[in-house]
Amino acid sequence: AQSVTQPDIHITVSEGASLELRCNYSYGATPYLFWYVQSPGQGLQLLLKYFSGDTLVQGIKGFEAEFKRSQSSFNLRKPSVHWSDAAEYFCAGEVGSGAGSYQLTFGKGTKLSVIP
Amino acid sequence: EAGVVQSPRYKIIEKKQPVAFWCNPISGHNTLYWYRQNLGQGPELLIRYENEEAVDDSQLPKDRFSAERLKGVDSTLKIQPAELGDSAVYLCASSYQRGGETQYFGPGTRLLVL
């Protein structure tokens, strides 16, 4: 079955420290991969996406993610976290079916807390 | 450009009552999605529209949930009657087309069923 797994439910980092949020996927084919961020009471905002090509993807707000086929991973990174980065982060994957249907499957999310 | 608009933002109802959510997608987006997000979970797709046609509603509990997208623009999601387990955030998203396109999400409607 197609799935996206985010192993960490909650992560706490100090402001200015580096960040890595983990995401693993399980698909029969290489999926399109996305990272979204959700602030309290808000909808989801796209940070970055991977379709093909360069495995290191740059996104908004200083985030980047690296696609590693051998590890079935798409981890999100940021070199220096700001207090405003505190939010919930969702990894999602999408792959077409034989009928051409695409469905975005989300992980359960990782809540990021930032200590001043 | 304006984002995805949803209303109401919050709704509190008693069980067995009906409730409806409205979504206006980004102009020009042909594909519209309704998701349900339970507490502590990622969003799960309920239904997807291509223009006015519902093309994926396999996850929609059809005994109590219904949706429509008249004229291929705005959409309404209805629950009748609501159950306690329907308490969740209902998110609407839109994209230019299906298949790898970025989905843009609205702020959601937070439903509490008492």
Side-chain angles (χ1 to χ4, degrees), chain A residues 67-104:
Chain A
F67 171 72
K68 292 186 177 180
R69 185 189 306 274
S70 62
Q71 299 179 17
S72 298
S73 68
F74 187 57
N75 294 349
L76 182 71
R77 301 194 296 247
K78 187 170 185 178
S80 178
V81 170
H82 188 262
W83 64 266
S84 60
D85 293 325
E88 189 143 24
Y89 292 79
F90 291 93
C91 182
E94 183 179 76
V95 67
S97 71
S101 174
Y102 293 79
Q103 183 169 123
L104 195 60

Side-chain angles (χ1 to χ4, degrees), chain A residues 17-105:
Chain A
S18 63
L19 171 70
E20 182 170 29
L21 301 182
R22 296 184 291 165
C23 173
N24 295 99
Y25 64 88
S26 176
Y27 284 87
T30 300
Y32 301 135
L33 293 164
F34 306 79
W35 274 100
Y36 283 87
V37 61
Q38 186 176 36
S39 298
Q42 302 298 312
L44 284 79
Q45 181 185 21
L46 181 70
L47 289 174
L48 48 79
K49 60 186 178 183
Y50 171 77
F51 285 179
S52 64
D54 193 348
T55 57
L56 185 63
V57 181
Q58 301 298 321
I60 62 172
K61 303 184 179 184
F63 286 93
E64 67 177 25
E66 186 171 11
F67 171 72
K68 292 186 177 180
R69 185 189 306 274
S70 62
Q71 299 179 17
S72 298
S73 68
F74 187 57
N75 294 349
L76 182 71
R77 301 194 296 247
K78 187 170 185 178
S80 178
V81 170
H82 188 262
W83 64 266
S84 60
D85 293 325
E88 189 143 24
Y89 292 79
F90 291 93
C91 182
E94 183 179 76
V95 67
S97 71
S101 174
Y102 293 79
Q103 183 169 123
L104 195 60
T105 301

Side-chain angles (χ1 to χ4, degrees), chain B residues 2-9 21-26 32 34 74-75 92-94 104-109:
Chain B
V4 176
V5 179
Q6 290 188 249
S7 68
R9 293 294 309 276
F21 315 124
W22 175 80
C23 173
N24 180 243
I26 292 173
L32 183 146
W34 282 103
D74 295 2
S75 178
C92 179
S94 69
Y104 295 85
F105 284 80
T109 297

